[in-house]
């Protein structure tokens, strides 16, 4: 998920086995289901890091409007603020959609290397996990946004739950900047490659701290995950996609399934019903 490759491809240098990667994915799906979003594996957004000493020749490329030069970080964060995907380097003139067009976040799906995911929402089966986003992201099958100006009680509940869960990535950015002042303050280095190494180092240290804090999980947390495993509707196969794209036609077919607006609308409508059935009698439960 972090590098757009098969789970066992990192065995040699990260010492992270395939079964461990699958287990992590299952935990993400379990937590998403507990919060009312089956099939959700995190929230995605972008953060800008000001580049004070941006070379003069590049300032027009990295400056939006009358602001200051910035470099963009795209990240996916989970419920515990672990950053699963990071893409750093696009110039600050790009918005979230332009960054997404350059991002490798869906490369594992496009290349047929992603684990197979199956889950049910409102009695309907889905096969693509999704991220929670803000309103700028497109209506793809892999993105679920909130509802602007909700009117019905069901829509209001959905917007409340979606916006609460989507804050995970915003909180991750806030914690990252609070922990590492070098990321919060403008970058003073001229070399963009060195700035990228600093950002990656901060992200790695951030995840190490999050992982260390997981050691403080209580028995309640363990029992909660155990109970979810027994009742989950989401499933992750231990095998990977076998129909890897062999030509541009197959690749475009997978790309179209990711960007399927009809599937997005259906999933969003099913999630509205699912959340109402799950939390309608107690809308503030778990928030």
């Amino acid at each position: 998920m972090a590098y757009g490759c098969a789970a066992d491809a990192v065995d040699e240098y990260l010492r992270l086995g395939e079964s461990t990667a699958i287990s992590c994915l299952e935990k993400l799906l379990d937590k998403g289901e507990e919060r009312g979003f089956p099939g959700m594996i995190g929230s995605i957004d972008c953060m800008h890091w000001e580049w004070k000493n941006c070379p003069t020749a590049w300032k027009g490329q990295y400056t939006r409007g009358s602001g200051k030069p910035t470099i963009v970080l795209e990240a996916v964060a989970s419920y515990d603020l672990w950053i699963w995907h990071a893409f750093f380097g696009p110039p600050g003139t790009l918005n979230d959609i332009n960054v997404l067009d350059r991002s490798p976040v869906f490369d594992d799906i496009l290349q047929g290397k992603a684990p197979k995911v199956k889950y049910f929402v409102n009695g309907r089966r889905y096969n693509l996990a999704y991220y929670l986003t803000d309103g700028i992201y497109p209506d793809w099958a892999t993105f679920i946004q909130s509802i602007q100006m909700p009117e019905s009680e069901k829509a209001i509940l959905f917007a409340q739950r979606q916006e609460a869960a989507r804050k995970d990535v915003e909180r991750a950015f806030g914690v990252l900047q609070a922990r590492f002042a070098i990321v919060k303050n403008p970058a003073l280095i001229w070399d963009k490659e060195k700035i990228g190494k600093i950002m990656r180092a901060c992200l790695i240290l951030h995840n190490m701290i999050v992982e260390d804090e997981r050691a403080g999980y209580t028995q309640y947390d363990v029992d909660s995950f155990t109970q979810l495993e027994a009742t989950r509707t989401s499933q992750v196969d231990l095998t990977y996609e076998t129909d890897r794209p062999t030509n541009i036609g197959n690749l475009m077919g997978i790309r179209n399934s990711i960007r399927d607006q009809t599937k997005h609308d259906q999933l969003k409508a099913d999630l509205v019903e699912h959340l109402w059935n799950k939390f309608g009698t107690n809308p503030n439960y778990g928030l």
Side-chain angles (χ1 to χ4, degrees):
M1 292 177 63
Y3 301 100
C5 60
D8 58 354
V10 297
D11 284 358
E12 298 301 324
Y13 65 101
L14 289 184
R15 299 297 186 266
L16 180 64
E18 178 180 349
S19 60
T20 304
I22 295 296
S23 177
C24 291
L25 179 56
E26 288 178 339
K27 280 194 174 183
L28 288 176
L29 292 170
D30 285 346
K31 192 62 178 182
E33 188 164 343
E34 180 186 25
R35 301 168 82 182
F37 292 94
M40 186 266 289
I41 54 175
S43 50
I44 186 171
D45 205 356
C46 291
M47 179 188 86
H48 289 252
W49 186 9
E50 182 183 338
W51 189 4
K52 183 176 181 179
N53 287 333
C54 174
T56 302
W58 292 3
K59 282 192 175 180
Q61 181 182 359
Y62 285 81
T63 305
R64 179 184 298 179
S66 59
K68 297 179 180 180
T70 59
I71 306 175
V72 180
L73 167 68
E74 178 193 71
V76 174
S78 59
Y79 64 96
D80 56 0
L81 308 189
W82 178 280
I83 296 177
W84 291 97
H85 156 81
F87 173 53
F88 180 76
T93 50
L94 302 181
N95 61 25
D96 294 8
I97 298 178
N98 302 139
V99 174
L100 178 66
D101 289 338
R102 294 159 173 76
S103 170
V105 66
F106 294 123
D107 282 3
D108 54 347
I109 300 177
L110 291 172
Q111 296 170 10
K113 297 178 181 179
K116 299 177 182 178
V117 176
K118 178 180 70 175
Y119 60 95
F120 293 87
V121 183
N122 198 33
R124 203 183 310 272
R125 173 175 168 170
Y126 293 92
N127 299 308
L128 277 178
Y130 59 90
Y131 302 107
L132 300 183
T133 72
D134 57 19
I136 192 174
Y137 281 84
D139 294 342
W140 292 0
T142 46
F143 294 140
I144 292 294
Q145 309 88 350
S146 181
I147 297 176
Q148 295 184 354
M149 296 185 295
E151 298 180 358
S152 67
E153 291 187 14
K154 292 181 179 180
I156 292 173
L157 176 63
F158 173 84
Q160 178 187 21
R161 309 290 305 194
Q162 194 275 351
E163 291 167 14
R166 195 199 67 80
K167 291 295 183 184
D168 291 343
V169 67
E170 301 284 0
R171 290 167 51 224
F173 289 149
V175 171
L176 183 70
Q177 292 177 325
R179 282 178 173 156
F180 306 104
I182 193 170
V183 176
K184 183 178 181 180
N185 298 325
L188 303 178
I189 300 175
W190 294 86
D191 191 336
K192 182 182 174 183
E193 183 177 350
K194 290 182 180 179
I195 295 176
K197 291 179 180 179
I198 292 172
M199 175 60 77
R200 284 192 290 274
C202 291
L203 291 169
I204 291 170
L205 290 171
H206 167 84
N207 280 351
M208 289 174 66
I209 295 171
V210 171
E211 186 173 5
D212 182 67
E213 291 175 347
R214 286 175 180 166
Y217 278 171
T218 64
Q219 186 60 40
Y220 170 81
D221 298 306
V222 177
D223 294 341
S224 177
F225 276 123
T226 303
Q227 182 179 4
L228 281 169
E229 287 181 356
T231 60
R232 73 157 64 113
T233 63
S234 305
Q235 297 180 11
V236 181
D237 291 349
L238 296 180
T239 56
Y240 295 91
E241 297 288 357
T242 57
D243 52 345
R244 299 192 177 185
T246 56
N247 55 51
I248 189 65
N250 292 342
L251 188 65
M252 291 301 294
I254 299 174
R255 176 181 177 275
N256 291 338
S257 68
I258 292 174
R259 303 187 177 204
D260 191 334
Q261 184 173 350
T262 302
K263 187 67 70 174
H264 164 273
D265 294 340
Q266 183 64 66
L267 174 58
K268 194 168 185 177
D270 284 339
L271 283 169
V272 170
E273 294 297 328
H274 175 78
L275 283 164
W276 181 256
N277 294 333
K278 187 177 181 68
F279 299 112
T281 57
N282 190 4
N284 294 319
Y285 178 79
L287 287 177

